[in-house]
Amino acid sequence: MGKVNRVGSITKRILKELLHDRRAMAMILVAPILAMTVFGVALGGEVTEVEVAIVNNDVERKINDAGREIRISEEYIEILEDKDSLDITFLNEKEEAIEKVEDGELWAAIVFPADFTESIIEEGSSGSIEMNADRSDPQVFSEIISSLEESLEEMLERLDGEIERPMEINVTEVYGEGAEFSDFLVPGVIAFAIFLLTTLLTLLAFTSEKVNGTLDRLLVSPATEFETVLAYSIAFGIIGAVQSIILVSYGIAAFDLIIEGSIFIAFLVVSLLAMTSQSMGILLSAAAKTQVQAVQMFPFIVLPTFLLSGIFWPIQALPSRIRPLSNVLPPTHAAEALRSVMIRGWGLLEVLPEILTIVLFYLIFVILATLSLKLSRK
Amino acid sequence: MKAKTKRNFAIQTESLSKHYGELKAVDEVDLNIPKGCIYGLIGPNGAGKTTLIKMFTGSLAPSQGSVKILNGTPGSPEVSSLIGYMPQRVALYGGLTIEENLDQFGGLYGLKDEELSEQKEKVLDFVGLKHRRKSILSELSGGMKKRVSLAVSILHEPQLLLLDEPTVGVDPELKVEFWRNFKKLVQEGNTIVITTHYLAEAERCDEIGMLYEGKLILEDSPEMVMEKTGTDGLEEAFVNIVKEVG
């Protein structure tokens, strides 16, 4: 009987403690729902709305003696347009389309040559499409290829055996020649690792400063709240730079990582991301009174980042409704900038928009973190 | 006349209050703490001593009333550099050595190079920890950590020292040593404000302010308090006064 009482009293105490701790309760009830929602929404998706351009130079031809003049490319494009995997823009000039791919505005420029229909109907030859593609994201690239191939089959079915020629897709890689999935993945993993480690470490470190009373001591000294936040971000910027040097070097050695652009821009991006993440950590620490409460926030930071930052699969695979959410996560921009530098070989000027976005996040978080420290005096 | 008064006080408050909802942690406290003395803020746990100290350091903003520290605003950089603060908890970096902790706080108060080295020598000597300077803080005994905490608070030679329960958890021997140190600092021209709930200990102060439920119920020298209440100890005096007040 004594044993039952002892076990019962401990069980009861644990449940009572939980009832007193609203945060822990919320954590137990809300976190699994959040996890299910985020995974369900983000994982189920296929790659859709990949931006491509079509330049159709095809010339009309009669496909049989009795028939009318047609452009087979039109049939083909009609089928392509029905697919939601591609978001097609029509352009007149091949050069313009390729330029847009080079600028990162489009994933591919698909060109139907003038003799497309002719070469298909002429015996002994085969039709071909030229495609200048950005292969820096292998999943996006393979989605384009499979859409083109599927549509081809459908078109052949529609033309009901009138055409038996094979058709070729001649791919020229604008970016990412020979890129593998690991080349796409590693920059994302770097961004993910730095963001999470830095955010969580700062969140814990700063909560400890609060709990131990050292923060109070810092703020009693002539050091201002802003100086404190700034000092933290410089320290974590340095740590981020060292981490990125280790990660990138390891990536090159272990995974034969492609580094087309300047490795120093990659280090800069990672350091900026680390600084942004630490100021976010300080901001979040405002909501934590103890280290336990800080740890309870982890899933709410990890899950959305993991799923919505375009780190493990492209943002194009997210439902279009929630895609804008990925833009408000700093690692999205860091991963994009890192891929552009590492796979596309872009320079500072080309990745400047992404870098400035990260800097903007940094400034916003620094201001909010400083304000949150000031508010703690009230 | 007014200017002269200001110069002679380290801390002056007027109707100083801090409210948390219904709770009046500090309730309309008027204090005049003269320079060059040890002033004891005494009272039981929860009387409002720490809240008051935090308003002196500027880490808490008052809900009402005003406070002047060395004739300036608490929390302003000018005032901050003139005060030393020793919180109730040790509040130092456990993973760093004693010296590294001193370096951190020296840096915050603008000490560097030679000046910092000199001051470090001086305060380590003062608290008797010269030989342990390279020891990691978390590996030290509780008493030693308290001594480091005191060293940190006097590193930049502040004019005003705010010590929040500095002798809690300190063994009797160290307590005596601490008080000897406090007297020494005052002889050098410092002002010390000390909070304590050990009323017997407060008899060593030059002046005391008694706090009870957020209110200042008495301000005088320990001798006068005992004389007025006809008691021979502050503990007894406090109990009598509380009975009278409430």
Side-chain angles (χ1 to χ4, degrees), chain B residues 14-19 26-28 55 61-67:
Chain B
E14 246 183 68
S15 306
L16 187 62
S17 307
K18 183 72 190 175
H19 303 163
V26 171
D27 192 12
E28 304 214 337
M55 287 194 279
S63 310
Q64 259 172 39
S66 68
V67 52

Side-chain angles (χ1 to χ4, degrees), chain A residues 90-133:
Chain A
F90 292 93
L91 296 172
N92 292 325
E93 300 296 329
K94 178 181 166 183
E95 288 70 26
E96 187 193 357
I98 294 177
E99 212 169 276
K100 282 186 189 289
V101 177
E102 284 170 348
D103 291 346
E105 284 173 45
L106 298 172
W107 288 98
I110 301 162
V111 179
F112 292 88
D115 63 351
F116 182 73
T117 303
E118 189 180 353
S119 59
I120 287 177
I121 55 179
E122 198 161 296
E123 247 168 276
S125 68
S126 63
S128 68
I129 305 172
E130 285 173 41
M131 180 164 85
N132 289 270

Side-chain angles (χ1 to χ4, degrees), chain B residues 4-19:
Chain B
K4 196 183 167 197
T5 321
K6 273 187 180 173
R7 264 204 305 278
N8 291 330
F9 288 108
I11 299 176
Q12 284 187 299
T13 72
E14 246 183 68
S15 306
L16 187 62
S17 307
K18 183 72 190 175
H19 303 163

Side-chain angles (χ1 to χ4, degrees), chain A residues 127-198:
Chain A
S128 68
I129 305 172
E130 285 173 41
M131 180 164 85
N132 289 270
D134 178 352
R135 249 189 93 168
S136 59
D137 187 331
Q139 292 176 82
V140 168
F141 178 75
S142 69
E143 186 59 41
I144 301 172
I145 294 284
S146 67
S147 298
L148 290 175
E149 281 171 352
E150 274 169 33
S151 304
L152 175 67
E153 266 172 44
E154 274 177 53
M155 182 189 75
L156 292 177
E157 266 170 40
R158 246 196 228 190
L159 293 173
D160 200 20
E162 285 176 77
I163 293 159
E164 286 152 13
R165 311 281 173 267
M167 202 174 67
E168 285 171 5
I169 304 167
N170 298 324
V171 178
T172 308
E173 279 130 344
V174 177
Y175 297 120
E177 197 180 341
E180 288 169 25
F181 187 60
S182 61
D183 293 299
F184 166 79
L185 197 61
V186 172
V189 171
I190 293 176
F192 183 65
I194 298 289
F195 174 75
L196 277 188
L197 283 177
T198 314

Side-chain angles (χ1 to χ4, degrees), chain A residues 354-369:
Chain A
E354 301 292 353
I355 288 183
L356 289 179
T357 309
I358 300 171
V359 171
L360 183 70
F361 275 114
Y362 172 62
L363 294 177
I364 291 172
F365 287 144
V366 165
I367 292 169
L368 291 179

Side-chain angles (χ1 to χ4, degrees), chain A residues 27 46 50 85 89 131 150 167 176 207 224 227 237 269 273 297 310 328 340 347 356:
Chain A
M27 171 73 204
E46 286 178 0
V50 176
S85 54
T89 313
M131 180 164 85
E150 274 169 33
M167 202 174 67
T207 309
T224 62
E227 287 166 1
V269 170
L273 178 67
M297 290 184 192
V328 296
S340 295
L356 289 179

